[in-house]
Amino acid sequence: MAEENLTRELFIDAAERGINYRESIADRAVAPTADAVKGARKFVEPMPDKGTDDREVLAMLDAIGSPATVTMAGPRYFGFVIGGSLPVTVATNWLTTAWDQNVGMHEVTPATSTLERVAMDWMIDLFGLPSDSAAAFVTGATVANFASLAAARHRVYSDIGWNVEADGLIGAPPVTVIIGEEAHPTVVKSLGMLGFGRNRAVRAPVDKQGRIDISRFPTVNGPTIVCTQAGNVNTGAFDPVGDICELVKPKGAWVHVDGAFGLWAAASPDREHLCAGFAAADSWATDAHKWLNVPYDSGVAFVRDTSALKSAMAITAEYLMTDTEFRNPSDFTPELSRRARGVDIWAALKSLGREGLAEMIDRCCSNARRFAAGLGSAGYEVLNDVVLNQVLVSFGDDATNRRIIDAVQEEGTCWCGVTVWQGHTAMRISVCNYSTTAADVDLSLAAIIAIANQTTANQP
Ligand SMILES: Cc1ncc(COP(=O)(O)O)c(C=O)c1O
């Protein structure tokens, strides 16, 4: 068969396999069977000397890989904070992959770089951020936190006359970093990667929902970076970012907001109050692969001070075409070469529009409340105020909770994870998928409650 026919056949085959997977996703058990997981070991072999026919490679991936997946893209996956992927974003992602653009420089990838610029402007508008903020399209909130804090590091050091990019941190004057007791571990990791140390930040006390308690906020003195959070990974609670900005900005502190999923509340008229005062901060990190429901991996950092982010990230060389009148994407990211992940974001926003996005966010929140109401009426304790898409429920003591969560995961109707919230083991339910319906919640509630009732009834 001619080369071009083979490519066509292969691409159509891949599309059909992808379609079959997604068409069956709501009916598959959420967790793979033990046999399917064991089957994935068939991938493990010595590096082959001879090649394999492309069609066979694809068929092998589907036959062994597909059954061993957890259906994270499906409507009843409530683990971690995992979005699905809107069909349009999978489709545009496939086309963008076929383009195979390296979006590091505008001059060589004008289409993808223009689309990223549009997606950036739309998000700045949706989140109500300063209109001239810079944005970095990165792998996820981890790197968005890192990029934001690299910009913060540049600004606080440059304000005290230290060139941190050139001279590093050895012998540098001290800078104070303040984070909430409930800061996400990726913020702590980012501080470590930036040379601030994972253990040196001053911890701000939090309340029962995990929000920074402004009445007990540490005193700010000298060069300072404050990391706040929009959307606690367990409770969904928001730090009082506006109040914190009022307190620390007059002292010259940089305020960062980790809004991995919570920032999307700003896109809903019913929930934007949760983000009141956010525009006064200096940097904001979010994920698109969570609540915007685009394929992995995709996160964005926004920074008010464009020159701080550029100073931390931009490079050039004789052979690079970074000098352009347009926004040059790699001036803002840790990576030079990368995929055009902004196209997926553009596609999601273009397809949903402002109204569709708000409706998706609100639907997830109302389904989270449905979970809380169902579990509460069944006699189980909901541990958090359900202000967003996160629900924490306890069925009893630590061992009982773990037994029930294991059984729910094994049963396969839905998938919920475990956490320990302020000393109590609990089941975490995160509603983040565009396709989850009230009927999916009811089906999941029935499975969870049946398992919980049976487990608690059988206890000595
Ligand atoms: C508040 C918060 N920050 C950061 C992260 C890290 O996000 P990612 O895994 O996409 O890098 C998460 C993940 O759930 C999160 O909830």
Side-chain angles (χ1 to χ4, degrees), residues 80-81 139-143 145 184 186-187 229-233 258-261 287 289-290 296:
F80 311 102
V81 187
T139 48
T142 303
V143 180
N145 282 324
H184 195 269
T186 56
V187 171
Q229 178 168 255
N232 176 283
V233 75
D258 173 8
F261 56 101
D287 265 318
H289 58 220
K290 288 187 168 66
Y296 283 95

Side-chain angles (χ1 to χ4, degrees), residues 438-453:
D440 287 308
V441 175
D442 292 346
L443 205 60
S444 305
L445 273 171
I448 296 169
I449 292 168
I451 289 168
N453 288 348

Side-chain angles (χ1 to χ4, degrees), residues 85-341:
S85 40
L86 292 156
V88 69
T89 65
V90 177
T92 53
N93 180 287
W94 283 349
L95 178 57
T96 313
T97 301
W99 290 350
D100 194 21
Q101 301 287 286
N102 177 344
V103 77
M105 285 170 289
H106 175 88
E107 296 297 338
V108 290
T109 53
T112 54
S113 147
T114 303
L115 285 163
E116 286 202 348
R117 168 88 222 203
V118 173
M120 164 183 141
D121 289 341
W122 287 354
M123 284 185 286
I124 285 173
D125 178 28
L126 281 168
F127 298 145
L129 305 182
S131 58
D132 52 354
S133 299
F137 289 82
V138 293
T139 48
T142 303
V143 180
N145 282 324
F146 171 81
S148 302
L149 293 171
R153 188 180 70 159
H154 172 85
R155 175 52 54 220
V156 292
Y157 272 114
S158 134
D159 285 352
I160 51 175
W162 185 269
N163 185 338
V164 70
E165 284 79 25
D167 300 325
L169 284 174
I170 297 170
V175 161
T176 304
V177 180
I178 300 175
I179 63 176
E181 284 286 0
E182 271 291 334
H184 195 269
T186 56
V187 171
V188 178
K189 175 175 165 171
S190 297
L191 293 173
M193 290 193 289
L194 287 161
F196 286 125
R198 289 192 183 195
N199 297 336
R200 294 178 64 108
V202 177
R203 292 281 188 159
V206 297
D207 66 12
K208 285 203 162 65
Q209 298 298 318
R211 294 172 291 223
I212 287 179
D213 179 353
I214 191 84
S215 68
R216 292 185 287 157
F217 200 80
T219 308
V220 172
N221 260 328
T224 305
I225 298 168
V226 177
C227 300
T228 64
Q229 178 168 255
N232 176 283
V233 75
N234 284 308
T235 64
F238 285 59
D239 287 339
V241 178
D243 295 344
I244 292 171
C245 287
E246 271 180 36
L247 187 70
V248 306
K249 295 279 294 175
K251 297 182 176 173
W254 178 291
V255 178
H256 171 64
V257 184
D258 173 8
F261 56 101
L263 201 53
W264 293 94
S268 150
D270 288 347
R271 289 185 174 69
E272 63 183 350
H273 62 276
L274 293 166
C275 301
F278 276 30
D282 297 284
S283 56
W284 307 262
T286 197
D287 265 318
H289 58 220
K290 288 187 168 66
W291 224 347
L292 187 59
N293 279 260
V294 305
Y296 283 95
D297 44 30
S298 187
V300 193
F302 301 94
V303 177
R304 173 197 298 278
D305 181 342
T306 302
S307 74
L309 183 58
K310 254 183 147 169
S311 301
M313 297 296 167
I315 52 159
T316 195
E318 294 306 328
Y319 80 103
L320 295 174
M321 299 151 81
T322 51
D323 190 15
T324 166
E325 63 183 290
F326 299 99
R327 172 185 177 273
N328 194 54
S330 65
D331 285 353
F332 306 97
T333 53
E335 304 88 351
L336 174 59
S337 300
R338 65 176 172 84
R339 78 179 185 94
R341 51 177 68 87

